[in-house]
């Protein structure tokens, strides 16, 4: 079955470390997105990519980086510059926004 | 610019009660409208959608009608169950055959259903 897979489900990071969250889709979708969700809060867009080898900053890109070397993959790196990285991270993809997004099951990142 | 406003929660209902979660939008052109549901610890799932005025989206007993005259897309269910407890997000896409934009999400409404 086609879908979008995020891994790991839970991730722990020490302060000062970079960590990379994986997002893979086999839906043949062109566009992919990363969102951050804090407890009781809505979604905030971090980065998005509408085509391979191209991506744009969202509303809260500082302290994050991404790459889009393959259509299927859109990894997110949370760098040490991100001051408050503890959150729930969601990846999404779509063939076209008109049809809505498909979301992964999320990665919960905790700084220890 | 485009925006989505949905009622703030939390909303607490007894089982079998009627549910309405209000959603209004501001958009140019002909947006598509969506409701997503998020169960605890999970990602968002598409619940229903409507792509043009007067369309009714429906799924799992939930319904929403695209009202262009009132710029609304309210979510309703006639009889909620405990298993409906979740956070519900209204969203719109301004894209309609044109350049790709992004989905715009409301802030979410938490629903708790008590037995």
């Amino acid at each position: 079955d086609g879908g979008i897979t995020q891994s790991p489900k839970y991730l722990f990071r020490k302060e000062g470390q970079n960590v990379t969250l994986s997002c893979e889709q086999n839906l043949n979708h062109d566009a992919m997105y990363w969102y951050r969700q804090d407890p009781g809060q809505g979604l905030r867009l971090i980065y998005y990519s509408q085509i391979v080898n191209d991506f744009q900053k969202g509303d809260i890109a500082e302290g994050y980086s991404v790459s889009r070397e393959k259509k299927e993959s859109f990894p997110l790196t949370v760098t040490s510059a991100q001051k408050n990285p503890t959150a729930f991270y969601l990846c999404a993809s779509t063939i076209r926004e008109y049809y809505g997004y498909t979301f992964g099951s999320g990665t919960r990142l905790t700084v220890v | 610019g485009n925006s989505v406003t949905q009622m703030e929660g939390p909303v607490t209902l007894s089982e079998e009660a009627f549910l309405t979660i209000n959603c209004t939008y501001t958009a140019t052109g002909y947006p598509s409208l969506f409701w997503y549901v998020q169960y605890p610890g999970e990602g968002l799932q598409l619940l229903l959608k409507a792509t043009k005025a007067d369309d009714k989206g429906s799924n799992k007993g939930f319904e929403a009608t695209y009202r262009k005259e009132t710029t609304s897309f309210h979510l309703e269910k006639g009889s909620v169950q405990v298993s409906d407890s979740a956070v519900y997000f209204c969203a719109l896409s301004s894209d309609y055959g044109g350049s790709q934009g992004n989905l715009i999400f409301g802030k979410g409404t938490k629903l708790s259903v008590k037995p």
Side-chain angles (χ1 to χ4, degrees):
Chain A
D1 285 342
I4 182 166
T5 302
Q6 290 188 241
S7 61
K9 190 168 180 65
Y10 299 96
L11 186 58
F12 298 89
R13 188 194 97 171
K14 293 182 179 179
E15 287 194 24
Q17 283 184 339
N18 293 353
V19 289
T20 297
L21 283 59
S22 171
C23 179
E24 303 274 337
Q25 54 96 1
N26 61 0
L27 299 166
N28 199 33
H29 286 174
D30 290 314
M32 298 186 74
Y33 306 82
W34 275 106
Y35 286 91
R36 171 180 171 140
Q37 188 177 32
D38 293 286
Q41 303 297 311
L43 304 175
R44 291 189 288 171
L45 182 63
I46 304 172
Y47 268 99
Y48 64 100
S49 168
Q50 294 176 338
I51 195 168
V52 174
N53 292 323
D54 189 43
F55 48 82
Q56 284 76 43
K57 293 181 179 180
D59 301 319
I60 57 164
E62 186 174 351
Y64 300 97
S65 65
V66 294
S67 63
R68 187 84 187 277
E69 297 176 359
K70 299 187 300 181
K71 188 175 186 178
E72 301 79 17
S73 178
F74 191 41
L76 173 73
T77 297
V78 184
T79 75
S80 57
Q82 169 50 236
K83 298 305 180 188
N84 186 21
T86 295
F88 190 52
Y89 290 87
L90 288 162
C91 182
S93 70
T94 187
I95 194 161
R96 202 162 181 85
E97 284 73 20
Y98 177 73
Y99 298 103
Y101 293 174
T102 300
F103 281 85
S105 57
T107 292
R108 186 167 300 280
L109 173 63
T110 303
V111 172
V112 296
Chain B
N2 296 344
S3 66
V4 173
T5 303
Q6 62 180 105
M7 64 186 287
E8 292 189 19
V11 174
T12 302
L13 296 174
S14 297
E15 208 165 23
E16 300 184 1
F18 185 86
L19 168 70
T20 300
I21 300 178
N22 290 339
C23 173
T24 57
Y25 68 90
T26 302
T28 56
Y30 304 94
S32 292
L33 299 170
F34 308 87
W35 277 102
Y36 282 85
V37 58
Q38 184 180 32
Y39 298 102
E42 298 183 10
L44 276 69
Q45 302 173 25
L46 179 64
L47 182 59
L48 54 84
K49 69 177 183 181
T51 58
K52 62 182 187 295
D54 298 326
D55 267 2
K56 178 184 282 188
S58 61
N59 186 25
K60 299 181 181 180
F62 291 89
E63 294 183 339
T65 301
Y66 188 158
R67 301 285 189 200
K68 195 167 176 66
E69 64 276 12
T70 54
T71 61
S72 65
F73 192 55
H74 304 322
L75 182 68
E76 297 181 336
K77 187 175 185 183
S79 176
V80 294
Q81 305 300 312
V82 173
S83 58
D84 294 326
S85 298
V87 179
Y88 293 83
F89 291 90
C90 185
L92 76 83
S93 164
S94 57
D95 177 43
Y96 183 72
S99 61
Q100 285 189 316
N102 296 326
L103 281 191
I104 297 171
F105 289 89
K107 294 185 177 181
T109 303
K110 184 175 181 179
L111 170 66
S112 295
V113 180
K114 306 300 184 186

